[in-house]
Amino acid sequence: MTAMTRLAQWVAMAAALIAAPASADFSLLNMTQGVTESSRDIYGLHMTIFTITVVIGVGVFGAMFYSIFRHRKSRGVEPSKFHHSTTMEIVWTVIPLVILVAMAVPATQVLIDLDDTTNSEMTVEVTGYQWFWGYKYKGEDVQFLSRLDTDSDRARRLDSGIQPASVDNYLQNVDQRLVLPVDTRVRFQITGADVIHSWWMPDLGWKKDAIPGYVNEMWTEIEEPGVYRGRCAELCGRDHGFMPVVVEALPKAEFDEWLANRQAGGTGMTADSDETPETDGELAAR
């Protein structure tokens, strides 16, 4: 068996090991695109940087492995004796500099846009607590707390007798969703009441720390009505894993109706809480 044959076999085996799990759901291996312009900008930046690094990796490791194989000692190759090359010094200094600038320019543009919260049409205060979220619509006299939904909370307890698989969106539902209008530029002001939390919404392209005594800002403009789920992304204590984030985006007319209902003292409960069973037995029977 020649060295080339053995190399081809190793490459084929490595490719098979990589392809096997990836073929299950390739989309899970990469960042997903969200439903906002900023999330698409972040995805585009991610793919640009990813492509550049892959090309660099293939070039560098390809040249390295080719050199190892082509110039191995068994072929009688003698090593070069030179110890300095001004041309090479310039080449391996200028090329990385150009690559870094090419990556820094679009990255800076995206970061500047993400931090620009001007021209917002409404503002929502987000406060992280151990272990739930508080939302306040500034200037609208509407505020509420958003906790893990009752179904998940019961099922997660020891000896509950409830199979987590029987609970819809286990650990991803809340009793009250944050309701927002679509096609509206919304500014978030995020802080923490006790310890550091992190408000993470992948579909909106956002992850922002909620720090006690400090207010972080970000903005979003959701384009598609729907329900979007996230969670706390900062280890914040014992029940860190039980404080999901759920955002429901409604057409403007429906949002105005929901807001008027809340201002009038109605609950304006969303589907999560409406489906909450009355008893543990009812939930266990599902």
Side-chain angles (χ1 to χ4, degrees):
M1 181 181 295
T2 65
M4 183 62 77
T5 303
R6 286 198 296 271
L7 178 61
Q9 290 177 340
W10 279 106
V11 171
M13 185 181 301
L17 290 174
I18 294 173
S23 62
D25 191 348
F26 183 77
S27 64
L28 296 178
L29 300 179
N30 195 14
M31 174 184 282
T32 56
Q33 294 192 63
V35 294
T36 62
E37 181 181 352
S38 56
S39 67
R40 286 192 293 273
D41 290 342
I42 294 171
Y43 178 81
L45 178 62
H46 158 74
M47 292 307 298
T48 300
I49 303 298
F50 177 72
T51 302
I52 292 174
T53 53
V54 167
V55 171
I56 292 173
V58 170
V60 170
F61 284 98
M64 184 178 70
F65 287 123
Y66 171 79
S67 298
I68 292 173
F69 177 76
R70 183 69 178 81
H71 304 102
R72 63 189 184 277
K73 184 178 180 181
S74 61
R75 299 192 63 179
V77 177
E78 293 293 332
S80 298
K81 303 297 183 184
F82 72 91
H83 57 83
H84 179 75
S85 173
T86 301
T87 302
M88 291 303 298
E89 292 279 358
I90 294 174
V91 169
W92 66 45
T93 300
V94 171
I95 291 180
L97 180 62
V98 171
I99 294 173
L100 288 175
V101 171
M103 292 192 294
V105 170
T108 302
Q109 291 175 336
V110 171
L111 288 175
I112 291 175
D113 183 60
L114 291 178
D115 281 340
D116 181 12
T117 60
T118 58
N119 301 320
S120 299
E121 299 171 68
M122 62 179 291
T123 300
V124 176
E125 290 183 3
V126 180
T127 305
Y129 300 89
Q130 287 182 313
W131 290 270
F132 50 91
W133 297 98
Y135 299 116
K136 179 179 181 181
Y137 295 72
K138 294 193 71 172
E140 302 292 349
D141 194 27
V142 172
Q143 57 182 330
F144 55 85
L145 301 178
S146 179
R147 304 172 185 269
L148 181 68
D149 72 308
T150 307
D151 290 20
S152 294
D153 193 44
R154 291 172 180 167
R156 75 182 178 91
R157 300 182 184 281
L158 289 176
D159 304 321
S160 67
I162 302 170
Q163 291 296 324
S166 68
V167 179
D168 292 336
N169 291 306
Y170 176 61
L171 299 183
Q172 298 185 76
N173 267 345
V174 294
D175 57 357
Q176 297 195 80
R177 298 169 175 170
L178 174 63
V179 180
L180 298 174
V182 298
D183 299 325
T184 302
R185 190 177 174 95
V186 181
R187 173 172 53 200
F188 297 105
Q189 294 180 331
I190 301 177
T191 188
D194 35 46
V195 300
I196 298 177
H197 304 272
S198 188
W199 202 72
W200 180 39
M201 283 298 301
D203 287 320
L204 305 188
W206 271 114
K207 172 183 172 296
K208 206 74 168 180
D209 286 347
I211 304 171
Y214 187 83
V215 178
N216 273 319
E217 287 195 336
M218 63 181 190
W219 68 274
T220 191
E221 185 170 341
I222 305 173
E223 299 169 353
E224 301 175 14
V227 176
Y228 306 102
R229 303 179 191 278
R231 60 186 62 254
C232 177
E234 183 74 29
L235 183 60
C236 58
R238 183 193 63 192
D239 285 351
H240 156 71
F242 308 119
M243 48 186 302
V245 176
V246 181
V247 172
E248 182 172 5
L250 299 176
K252 285 186 177 180
E254 293 182 27
F255 172 78
D256 291 340
E257 182 180 353
W258 175 88
L259 189 63
N261 180 277
R262 293 302 299 251
Q263 290 170 332
T267 60
M269 290 291 189
T270 49
D272 286 343
S273 55
D274 292 341
E275 294 174 355
T276 300
E278 294 296 327
T279 65
D280 287 358
E282 181 183 345
L283 177 59
R286 286 186 177 181

